[in-house]
Amino acid sequence: MSRILSKHIMERQFNKREILENSLQNSSLELSNREIDIAVLMVEGFSNKHIAQRLFLSEGTIKNYISGIYQTFGIHNRKQLISCFRQLLDKN
């Protein structure tokens, strides 16, 4: 049962990742593959600590990536950034 659930979650995240990546390209915004992974996990509601655990990175590294994402979008608020990601996801 847990394998089925895990597979479903990964497929769902992959679909969101693909949609977000396409939306970013259409909006002329560029994020690295790792930044897109982090963005998807942020939209899913994961904390920096949990994102770090999922991606096998340190929490400080995740914070650095998120700072870069803030600069790319010109946003300095996590809620606004997540809202922006959701809008991009809803475009497709």
Side-chain angles (χ1 to χ4, degrees):
M1 184 68 148
S2 64
R3 264 190 262 158
I4 293 169
L5 181 59
S6 176
K7 182 181 175 188
H8 178 70
I9 290 170
M10 291 306 289
E11 286 174 356
R12 189 169 146 213
Q13 286 180 344
F14 180 75
N15 291 336
K16 281 187 179 182
R17 187 191 192 293
E18 203 172 68
I19 292 167
L20 183 58
E21 190 172 20
N22 289 335
S23 292
L24 287 167
Q25 288 174 352
N26 293 337
S27 300
S28 300
L29 294 167
E30 282 191 42
L31 293 180
S32 70
N33 287 329
R34 182 61 82 190
E35 288 172 328
I36 293 171
D37 292 337
I38 291 168
V40 170
L41 293 171
M42 289 175 72
V43 169
E44 291 288 327
F46 287 91
S47 67
N48 291 352
K49 180 179 178 178
H50 289 110
I51 292 170
Q53 290 172 346
R54 295 275 308 249
L55 298 179
F56 304 103
L57 297 169
S58 73
E59 192 172 347
T61 299
I62 297 302
K63 288 178 182 179
N64 288 338
Y65 275 115
I66 292 172
S67 291
I69 296 169
Y70 283 150
Q71 288 180 348
T72 299
F73 282 82
I75 295 173
H76 301 287
N77 178 296
R78 189 179 187 103
K79 287 183 181 183
Q80 287 177 333
L81 184 60
I82 291 170
S83 176
C84 186
F85 289 145
R86 286 187 176 137
Q87 287 174 357
L88 287 168
L89 286 166
D90 288 342
K91 280 185 176 182
N92 289 335

